Amino acid sequence: GYRGGPPDLPLTVTIGAPAQPQAADDPVDESFRVSEEIKLLDWFDVADLPPVEWLIDHLVAERSMVVFAGNTEAGKSFGLIDMSMRLMHGLGVYGREAQACSVLYLAGEGHNGLSARFRAWRREHRHLIPEGGTEGRYCLVSDKIPTLTATSVGKIHRMLCKLRRDRGHAPRVLVIDTLSQAMVDDESDSSVIGPILRALGELRDRWNLTIVMAHHLVKLNQKTRRGEEPAMPTLDSVRGSGAITRNVDTVLGLVTESESTGARTL
């Protein structure tokens, strides 16, 4: 817990003791390119590959690509902050067991837009934070997202290289909040989205990352004012090109269940 009350939240959010620097004899390759190499395995080797391992039990797999989509004001950033902080502190997520790990949170709205939300999380969860700290795990928040194109993902790769050197280990989760804020091209164009997701997939494989991308839902036919069940999202409810949902492992939809109570449904 915090003695004497919680400290003011710094602009760069670093919670937990820093890990030891990377050993000098373990160099990091900062070059990055999307490989066109095709690897061939005998079918029985494929059959013997290990089963899926879960970052969040039976919800988010390790080394996967996830879209976290929500309607307007549903609280996408709140949900992703909660997920990130729970993973970093070794707490369960949405009532499910989860693997404790470090997180890199790329925030399109910058530090100031998120500071109140992190303070609110700390205030509400202070009693759950372990006394022994986080054993060197970290949650680092950027003040902007590198522009995403098929060729610019290497900027994130170099950021991960620097974190591995400075913090002693790379994060296991990368959050991009939001996908649209990271793009300058049309999200409805599959010829744009496809190569970006392919490059992010290469980043996932290179670093054994789980990549979680916040995105938007198209406007749903909400019926909450009449006391009826709200419209639930489908894959077709995710805004932009269908390539966004076809090229990832998991799609989570977050909607406002009740305008009167503020309850959300994931």
Side-chain angles (χ1 to χ4, degrees), residues 61-166:
E62 292 188 358
R63 300 177 294 278
S64 66
M65 300 265 286
V66 180
V67 167
F68 190 97
N71 59 2
T72 303
E73 304 299 327
K76 294 183 291 295
S77 292
F78 275 111
L80 288 173
I81 287 171
D82 186 48
M83 178 188 296
S84 300
M85 297 292 277
R86 285 175 173 275
L87 289 171
M88 192 271 291
H89 282 100
L91 305 175
V93 178
Y94 307 136
R96 299 166 183 261
E97 292 185 2
Q99 299 293 326
C101 61
S102 293
V103 180
L104 173 60
Y105 196 113
L106 303 183
E109 62 179 298
H111 295 143
N112 290 337
L114 295 177
S115 60
R117 299 172 190 178
F118 276 100
R119 285 196 296 271
W121 191 96
R122 182 178 59 192
R123 181 177 63 249
E124 295 300 320
H125 296 84
R126 186 183 301 133
H127 64 289
L128 297 176
I129 296 175
E131 284 290 337
T134 55
E135 299 181 357
R137 297 186 298 273
Y138 55 82
C139 176
L140 293 178
V141 184
S142 71
D143 62 351
K144 60 183 176 181
I145 307 174
T147 299
L148 287 181
T149 66
T151 58
S152 68
V153 173
K155 295 178 182 178
I156 301 178
H157 169 72
R158 289 187 288 276
M159 191 182 304
L160 294 169
C161 291
K162 187 175 188 304
L163 280 177
R164 188 179 171 198
R165 284 195 301 268
D166 295 348

Side-chain angles (χ1 to χ4, degrees), residues 22-35:
Q22 182 189 2
D25 59 353
D26 185 14
V28 175
D29 180 7
E30 295 200 11
S31 63
F32 180 85
R33 65 183 180 87
V34 179
S35 174

Side-chain angles (χ1 to χ4, degrees), residues 21 23 29 49 103 110 138-139 159 223-224 256 258 261 265:
D29 180 7
L49 289 174
V103 180
Y138 55 82
C139 176
M159 191 182 304
K223 303 177 182 178
T224 52
T256 304
S258 170
T261 66
T265 296

